[in-house]
Amino acid sequence: GIYVAPRKTDVEFASMNESLFGEISRGHRVTTRVLSLLRDKPTQHEREVLGLPPGADVLRLYRIYSVDDVPTALSWLVLAGHRVPGLEALIADNVSAYGVMAERYGLRIDFSERWFEAAIPTAEQAALLQLSDGQAVVAIESIGRTGDRLPLEYYKCLYSTAYSRIHVTAHARADV
């Protein structure tokens, strides 16, 4: 017989969202698990992309996202620490960092730049995403800014398209 693969779920990936998976929560069960969370000194690259003032720290949040109980993405989020004091005490599994930042600090990502490319996860990353060794993923890099155009977040993400595909909608904006 002929093997027919099941249709993949389309995952909406909005360029203006409250979280990496803000759009896919509609109609899907999205969960997160914190793999690590710490305040740290920024790298030179993080200092530059986040426009950090001298002496500022960063908050690093490494999580795995699952959609309908399927591991879908690994996310390394780096936040400008001086803009979110005490945030680490409020983050846990299944708690939206973006929701907390909006409610507690009045901060929302209003503008972001994103880069996409194919990547091969490490053996450890593939195991977390329940992928075969060497199976490709989409690597996403993003710098998110608040309404005042100041950088708040820098993240990298490995997104598995094994069970879903990314749907991107682009809109022309006069203020960009």
Side-chain angles (χ1 to χ4, degrees):
I2 297 175
Y3 175 76
V4 177
R7 180 176 165 83
K8 291 184 177 184
T9 302
D10 283 348
V11 174
E12 301 296 324
F13 194 92
S15 56
M16 303 298 168
N17 59 1
E18 291 183 16
S19 70
L20 177 61
F21 289 91
E23 290 297 309
I24 61 175
S25 61
R26 286 189 250 145
H28 299 281
R29 183 172 169 264
V30 179
T31 57
T32 62
R33 181 167 48 104
V34 175
L35 301 174
S36 70
L37 173 65
L38 71 137
R39 283 209 176 254
D40 200 4
K41 292 181 180 180
T43 65
Q44 182 61 35
H45 180 67
E46 293 165 346
R47 197 175 291 115
E48 291 168 6
V49 298
L50 291 171
L52 297 174
D57 63 5
V58 293
L59 181 63
R60 298 181 192 285
L61 175 56
Y62 176 37
R63 292 185 287 190
I64 186 166
Y65 287 78
S66 295
V67 179
D68 299 329
D69 297 320
V70 176
T72 303
L74 293 171
S75 171
W76 293 264
L77 175 64
V78 180
L79 298 167
H82 67 287
R83 299 191 70 189
V84 290
L87 178 64
E88 61 273 28
L90 306 171
I91 299 298
D93 291 351
N94 299 314
V95 172
S96 168
Y98 298 90
V100 172
M101 286 190 292
E103 291 175 24
R104 178 83 180 248
Y105 306 98
L107 296 171
R108 293 179 57 106
I109 301 299
D110 290 327
F111 173 79
S112 62
E113 297 174 84
R114 295 206 173 118
W115 297 267
F116 299 82
E117 65 182 336
I120 302 295
T122 66
E124 178 185 346
Q125 293 163 348
L128 284 168
L129 292 169
Q130 298 178 2
L131 300 175
S132 303
D133 283 344
Q135 189 171 345
V137 296
V138 176
I140 305 165
E141 187 173 358
S142 178
I143 301 170
R145 299 173 185 276
T146 50
D148 55 9
R149 298 289 195 222
L150 293 175
L152 173 62
E153 68 162 5
Y154 172 66
Y155 74 75
K156 292 184 177 183
C157 172
L158 295 180
Y159 185 92
S160 169
T161 60
Y163 302 102
S164 61
R165 57 187 191 167
I166 298 173
H167 174 232
V168 178
T169 303
H171 300 277
R173 290 191 46 172
D175 62 345
V176 174

